[in-house]
Amino acid sequence: MSEKIQKVLARVGLGSRRAMEEWIDAGRVSVNGQVATLGDRIEEGDELRVDGRVIDFATEEDSIRRVVLYYKPEGEVCTRTDPSGRPTVFDALPKLKDQRWVAIGRLDINSQGLLLFTTDGDLANRMMHPSSNIEREYAVRVHGQVSEENLEALRNGVMLVDGPAKFDEIVDRGGEGTNHWYHVILREGRKREVRRMWETQGVQVSRLIRVRYGDVLLPRNLKAGRWVELDKDSIDQLAESCGAALRKRTGLYGRAKARSERAVEKEVRRGGYLRRRRY
């Protein structure tokens, strides 16, 4: 089965598909000794080179579909590299060979909580696409007085600069003084959407934690800055929820799985378990 060259190059971790298209247009890519052009396809057994260097690759069907759940702490950015030298969410992820991690959604630098990463770009795109209608749940601590009228407005919909937005559900989780916790659910992932929605009601979000993405929950015993790998059943459930095809090569097996589990167990023992979080 053939694939577009830019898709293969992106999967092995050389850059985004758009960047790979620019490389192809610049004549840096060749297949079987011939300079590639945009739209060309490649299949197993072809010789792929970039700037004369042979690139090892596997077909999409032969590559392993993996998903990791990462607990993003505050202060990390959701980019591969940062000009300001700030830590990125990719720094702590397990290393890959001939593949690259693709983030499923983002969180701003001041937010924390659940982030999913996968080696399957199609799965990531489907999970993020509005047509998949996948829920995101956040624990939100707001500072200021919130009335029932404010909550009703957020349920019915408020107008942001990039269009209307609303919470599908708001659950009061209590609090003290002017600091109050709520759990909110929505099905979009616009930039700073949760914060901006609360700001329309004259209150500021002082803490924001994503605790669920679809059916995947943030584990209570996972320390911030650590990750866990999802098993085949969990990954297949994600794929079915967004209409992605199932794959045989899903999740880690054998020695690779055992090594991953030992690494996670070691981090948990060293870091200890979190106290029960209030959210």
Side-chain angles (χ1 to χ4, degrees):
M1 182 177 179
S2 65
E3 294 181 84
K4 290 185 177 180
I5 297 174
Q6 62 267 31
K7 184 177 179 181
V8 174
L9 292 173
R11 191 170 65 243
V12 301
L14 295 181
S16 67
R17 289 193 194 183
R18 180 173 296 180
M20 296 303 97
E21 290 173 355
E22 293 175 355
W23 287 15
I24 294 170
D25 280 338
R28 298 174 59 184
V29 181
S30 66
V31 177
N32 299 327
Q34 300 294 319
V35 176
T37 59
L38 202 59
D40 287 351
R41 304 179 72 89
I42 192 170
E43 59 186 24
E44 187 177 7
D46 287 338
E47 182 187 70
L48 176 63
R49 291 177 178 265
V50 174
D51 296 332
R53 179 170 63 91
V54 175
I55 304 298
D56 294 326
F57 69 95
T59 63
E60 186 173 36
E61 192 60 34
D62 288 335
S63 60
I64 300 176
R65 174 187 275 170
R66 297 174 62 183
V67 178
V68 295
L69 182 161
Y70 177 62
Y71 185 172
K72 175 194 175 300
E74 293 182 14
E76 290 185 354
V77 294
C78 291
T79 56
R80 294 186 184 277
T81 58
D82 182 67
S84 301
R86 295 171 297 185
T88 83
V89 294
F90 292 91
D91 294 339
L93 299 183
K95 304 304 179 184
L96 293 172
K97 181 180 180 181
D98 299 334
Q99 288 182 299
R100 71 200 296 258
W101 291 116
V102 180
I104 300 176
R106 303 165 69 91
L107 288 171
D108 66 60
I109 189 171
N110 295 317
S111 300
Q112 64 187 92
L114 185 157
L115 274 178
L116 294 175
F117 295 86
T118 180
T119 56
D120 181 3
D122 178 63
L123 176 63
N125 290 332
R126 288 175 180 269
M127 288 286 293
M128 291 184 289
H129 199 278
S131 64
S132 295
N133 209 31
I134 293 177
E135 291 184 346
R136 289 88 155 161
E137 182 175 352
Y138 299 84
V140 185
R141 187 178 69 190
V142 299
H143 180 70
Q145 297 295 330
V146 179
S147 66
E148 185 57 40
E149 288 75 16
N150 296 140
L151 298 179
E152 195 62 23
L154 292 170
R155 294 188 187 100
N156 292 332
V158 295
M159 183 58 68
L160 305 178
V161 294
D162 50 356
K166 70 174 184 177
F167 291 130
D168 294 318
E169 186 175 340
I170 306 175
V171 178
D172 190 329
R173 288 300 180 90
E176 298 177 356
T178 57
N179 288 304
H180 209 89
W181 281 99
Y182 295 91
H183 269 222
V184 299
I185 296 175
L186 73 168
R187 299 171 187 267
E188 294 181 310
R190 284 185 270 170
K191 186 175 181 180
R192 299 186 72 256
E193 185 173 13
V194 175
R195 294 180 185 274
R196 290 188 291 137
M197 289 174 66
W198 283 101
E199 287 170 1
T200 66
Q201 305 305 302
V203 296
Q204 295 292 321
V205 172
S206 57
R207 196 172 180 195
L208 180 64
I209 309 168
R210 182 151 67 199
V211 296
R212 180 169 64 87
Y213 197 111
D215 293 328
V216 181
L217 295 170
L218 180 66
R220 285 195 171 274
N221 63 345
L222 185 64
K223 188 177 181 181
R226 305 300 184 193
W227 56 268
V228 293
E229 183 132 7
L230 300 192
D231 59 21
K232 184 180 188 303
D233 289 342
S234 298
I235 298 173
D236 285 347
Q237 187 174 353
L238 279 180
E240 289 178 331
S241 72
C242 64
L246 301 184
R247 287 196 201 168
K248 292 182 179 180
R249 293 173 62 80
T250 296
L252 290 180
Y253 296 89
R255 293 181 179 178
K257 181 180 179 181
R259 285 196 298 269
S260 176
E261 289 176 345
R262 285 197 299 270
V264 173
E265 290 173 359
K266 182 179 179 181
E267 293 295 349
V268 170
R269 287 198 302 269
R270 185 171 64 182
Y273 287 91
L274 290 177
R275 296 179 180 176
R276 186 173 180 82
R277 294 193 283 272
R278 182 160 189 179
Y279 62 76

